[in-house]
Amino acid sequence: MYFLRRFLVIALIQLIIFSFIFTLFVFSFNQRREVSKNQSKALASIIAEQASNYFEENNRNFSSNDFFNFLDNQIGVQKLTNAFNVNPPEILTIYFRTDIIKGKVDAGTDSRLNKDDNSPLNRSNKFFFNNKYVAIKPFFVGTSDTPYGVVRIETSNIPILTEVLYNNGIFYMLLFLILNNQAFLFYLWMRKKRSLDVDTGYLKESSLGSIKIMHKLLSDVIEDHKSSVTNKDNPNNVLSIDDKK
Amino acid sequence: MNLLRNFLFVLLFIPFLSCEGLKSSPGIEFLGPILETIDIKGRLEYSGRVVNKSEASVSGALVRYVAENKDGKIIEAVTIPLVGSKGSSILRGEVVSFQLLLRSRADSVFKKRFSLDYKK
């Protein structure tokens, strides 16, 4: 029972330390995720602007290869993702309004072609959080008020998770060791000092018990030697305590 | 003996502390995002580029694509070989374009995954 209680206290302290470190980790992760969200939105805006230019130049004719080359000439494919560093978007999607309205494809948008946060297409829950961020930006051709289509960019948050762990792993480990050290020091500080009380005695109950047993044994041994008959004939072999006296 | 044991323990521990395993070594990878569009027939079409960032040329590189429906079942899987300027091997730093078209209806595709497979 004593060890179980001690083990539970240690486990509780470790849990508190882990919770503290986990809170720091989640804070760092959320900060980095917000940066990634803003980058995705900015990239979607840039691509939407380029898509508007492309369709105006080509009289609304579209070829995926042409558009890819157009983007490469205007921005540079490498530059498209350089800003992301850790979690570059894997797929960049162009959907036309007509296809969305006809139901040919689900873009995860509402009727006004704005992002629908409740759409299952825009969520992917894994490891207890939504690990996908989707940026959707409608684009317009000419002076039209209705969007011609949407640009959709998906980014995964999992690489951010590993990146935060990679950058702060040693810090978390050191923090774990330091907090454990602090917990131990706190334990030493709080530990009760046993004061010497002359009235109640200064020995533990168990120590007193063993002394009593020893006292009884020694008394018995002395008593035995008092009553026993000593061998006077062979004094070299037997040592008599009484004789010494 | 204790010193040796402590030294071995530290050696075992260092890789976990540095988290080096989380960083993958450079190889061939997608250059920029893959463009997803819909063709006239309502099928999904993908265009992209791959670059060889490794120190040596790679051969037999493949682009694999897997499409899943809402239930997580694979409805279509496509594998296409990447062809460089010297045939099947992609030289160091070379950029190769690829394009693929799905047979499945666009509205049935819920989740997509791209991966690259190659030998060094």
Side-chain angles (χ1 to χ4, degrees):
Chain A
M1 191 64 191
Y2 171 75
F3 284 107
L4 181 70
R5 204 174 62 184
R6 201 153 248 226
F7 177 77
L8 283 174
V9 170
I10 291 168
L12 187 73
I13 289 167
Q14 296 304 309
L15 193 72
I16 291 166
I17 291 171
F18 271 121
S19 307
F20 179 70
I21 293 170
F22 185 71
T23 308
L24 287 181
F25 170 71
V26 169
F27 181 75
S28 304
F29 172 68
N30 279 337
Q31 246 183 349
R32 186 65 189 79
R33 193 166 58 167
E34 282 304 313
V35 172
S36 175
K37 276 183 186 179
N38 291 334
Q39 284 173 334
S40 295
K41 283 177 190 170
L43 182 63
S45 297
I46 292 168
I47 302 293
E49 197 181 312
Q50 293 302 321
S52 298
N53 294 340
Y54 173 82
F55 286 106
E56 277 171 18
E57 279 181 23
N58 292 285
N59 286 330
R60 304 192 180 201
N61 291 320
F62 180 74
S63 153
S64 58
N65 258 343
D66 276 356
F67 183 65
F68 203 86
N69 290 331
F70 179 80
L71 281 180
D72 198 16
N73 293 333
Q74 294 294 316
I75 313 166
V77 174
Q78 188 85 57
K79 282 182 188 171
L80 279 175
T81 51
N82 270 359
F84 284 82
N85 191 22
V86 184
N87 61 333
E90 197 178 45
I91 299 172
L92 191 157
T93 309
I94 303 283
Y95 289 145
F96 299 115
R97 189 174 64 90
T98 48
D99 292 332
I100 296 168
I101 289 168
K102 282 176 189 170
K104 279 185 183 176
V105 69
D106 184 6
T109 53
D110 58 16
S111 56
R112 291 182 174 184
L113 298 192
N114 290 318
K115 186 183 169 187
D116 179 11
D117 286 321
N118 297 323
S119 170
L121 209 66
N122 296 338
R123 300 187 66 82
S124 170
N125 288 324
K126 202 176 174 186
F127 306 126
F128 311 108
F129 72 101
N130 181 22
N131 51 54
K132 183 165 86 171
Y133 179 72
V134 179
I136 294 175
K137 182 83 181 172
F139 63 90
F140 302 84
V141 176
T143 53
S144 174
D145 290 337
T146 50
Y148 190 67
V150 292
V151 174
R152 182 187 155 91
I153 292 172
E154 275 186 32
T155 46
S156 170
N157 292 325
I158 302 291
I160 300 174
L161 201 77
T162 51
E163 179 71 9
V164 171
L165 205 61
Y166 173 78
N167 287 333
N168 303 329
I170 293 174
F171 167 68
Y172 294 142
M173 287 296 237
L174 286 175
L175 195 65
F176 177 72
L177 290 174
I178 290 166
L179 288 176
N180 264 300
N181 193 17
Q182 294 299 310
F184 183 67
L185 289 176
F186 186 69
Y187 161 75
L188 288 179
W189 180 261
M190 294 298 287
R191 198 168 62 164
K192 283 178 189 170
K193 285 181 182 173
R194 285 186 179 84
S195 58
L196 290 175
D197 193 346
V198 185
D199 297 333
T200 56
Y202 50 87
L203 286 173
K204 284 181 182 176
E205 197 73 29
S206 56
S207 304
L208 207 60
S210 60
I211 286 171
K212 279 177 184 172
I213 293 165
M214 281 168 69
H215 179 259
K216 192 175 183 307
L217 279 170
L218 286 170
S219 301
D220 289 349
V221 169
I222 292 164
E223 196 63 37
D224 287 348
H225 281 82
K226 268 183 184 173
S227 61
S228 67
V229 180
T230 54
N231 190 357
K232 300 269 182 185
D233 298 335
N234 193 4
N236 292 332
N237 292 338
V238 179
L239 180 67
S240 171
I241 295 168
D242 297 334
D243 290 345
K244 280 253 175 184
K245 284 178 183 174
Chain B
M1 192 64 190
N2 272 344
L3 186 73
L4 183 71
R5 202 167 54 189
N6 290 341
F7 180 68
L8 284 173
F9 178 73
V10 170
L11 270 185
L12 278 171
F13 213 57
I14 282 172
F16 294 105
L17 276 178
S18 62
C19 302
E20 276 299 327
L22 297 173
K23 290 270 174 180
S24 57
S25 58
I28 61 165
E29 52 189 69
F30 292 109
L31 181 67
I34 297 157
L35 182 67
E36 182 190 63
T37 51
I38 294 181
D39 73 348
I40 304 163
K41 292 178 182 174
R43 296 173 302 181
L44 285 172
E45 190 180 8
Y46 294 93
S47 308
R49 288 175 188 178
V50 168
V51 62
N52 180 7
K53 282 192 176 176
S54 72
E55 294 298 314
S57 62
V58 294
S59 59
L62 301 166
V63 175
R64 294 186 196 279
Y65 172 86
V66 175
E68 292 175 15
N69 66 5
K70 271 188 180 179
D71 304 322
K73 286 180 183 171
I74 295 171
I75 51 171
E76 190 164 348
V78 181
T79 303
I80 56 160
L82 289 169
V83 183
S85 58
K86 301 277 180 189
S88 64
S89 65
I90 302 168
L91 305 175
R92 184 183 158 193
E94 190 181 355
V95 177
V96 178
S97 298
F98 69 91
Q99 195 166 15
L100 63 95
L101 193 68
L102 293 194
R103 290 191 303 270
S104 311
R105 283 162 51 94
D107 58 348
S108 61
V109 178
F110 189 74
K111 195 178 173 187
K112 314 125 193 180
R113 271 182 292 146
F114 273 97
S115 60
L116 285 165
D117 192 13
Y118 62 97
K119 292 174 206 162
K120 273 194 180 177

